[in-house]
Amino acid sequence: MVPRPVEEARHEVGRLPLLEREREVTVLRHALAAAKAGEGSTVLLSGAAGIGKTRLLQEAGQFSGELNLRALIARGGEIERNLPWGLARQAFDPALAGLSEGERDELFADAGGLARAVFGA
């Protein structure tokens, strides 16, 4: 048998239904629906390695797409521990890169202006 690349295997796992995670999925779906309605919230996923945190995030990303919301992704590691705003930059830089100067100015207007220095805008 020829081993499959890790990314291919991960993609395949992402298509499998989650088992015994109804509560967690409901919390994620509720938080995303609230975000769509303009209500902010925070959801913290924590647990030991291999317990399925990444799979839950994949589910959240899929549901955000169904709601026409953009999911920004960042993954914390050793490097990000020592970089100021490392996770924020990892999540937001790709989304900001595609914006025109006017769109960036609009985004960093009002309260968003507080983040201007972080993103070098």
Side-chain angles (χ1 to χ4, degrees), residues 38-115:
E39 300 173 23
S41 65
T42 302
V43 176
L44 173 67
L45 297 175
S46 66
I51 201 160
K53 298 179 298 292
T54 299
R55 181 62 182 90
L56 283 167
L57 289 174
Q58 288 172 338
E59 188 77 13
Q62 180 179 337
F63 186 58
S64 68
E66 292 170 14
L67 292 175
N68 204 25
L69 295 171
R70 177 186 279 183
L72 302 178
I73 299 168
R75 172 166 265 180
E78 291 296 320
I79 294 173
E80 287 77 17
R81 286 185 184 180
N82 299 319
L83 289 175
W85 300 101
L87 284 175
R89 296 290 308 264
Q90 194 182 121
F92 286 95
D93 277 348
L96 294 172
L99 298 178
S100 70
E101 189 68 31
E103 290 170 321
R104 288 175 69 95
D105 287 343
E106 184 179 330
L107 185 65
F108 290 115
D110 300 320
L114 298 171

